[in-house]
Amino acid sequence: MDVDKATAVISAAGIELTDRRRNGTDDGWSLSFSNGAVVEIRDNGEVSVSGKGAEVVASHLGLPGKPA
């Protein structure tokens, strides 16, 4: 998944992006949102969602099952 597309989809749902930075291993992006969710998008396209608002964000991104 593309980081800009993920940001746009989640923002369109009314959840504000509060931080966007390269992750600690510099192989992807870490996105923080106002509902407490954190989305990790690696350069290879792998996506994981965690935090307080993870289930809501995962559903907006169309991710199957429960978030990590």
Side-chain angles (χ1 to χ4, degrees):
M1 176 172 287
D2 176 79
V3 68
D4 292 325
K5 180 179 179 179
T7 302
V9 168
I10 298 166
S11 296
I15 304 169
E16 182 182 352
L17 177 69
T18 57
D19 189 41
R20 173 182 168 157
R21 67 179 72 194
R22 291 293 288 178
N23 64 15
T25 54
D26 197 32
D27 65 352
W29 292 92
S30 179
L31 309 172
S32 299
F33 291 90
S34 59
N35 72 341
V38 176
V39 179
E40 298 283 337
I41 302 177
R42 294 189 176 218
D43 294 337
N44 67 4
E46 291 178 20
V47 179
S48 65
V49 184
S50 61
K52 181 179 159 192
E55 288 189 39
V56 171
V57 168
S59 71
H60 285 297
L61 293 176
L63 298 176
K66 290 198 139 212

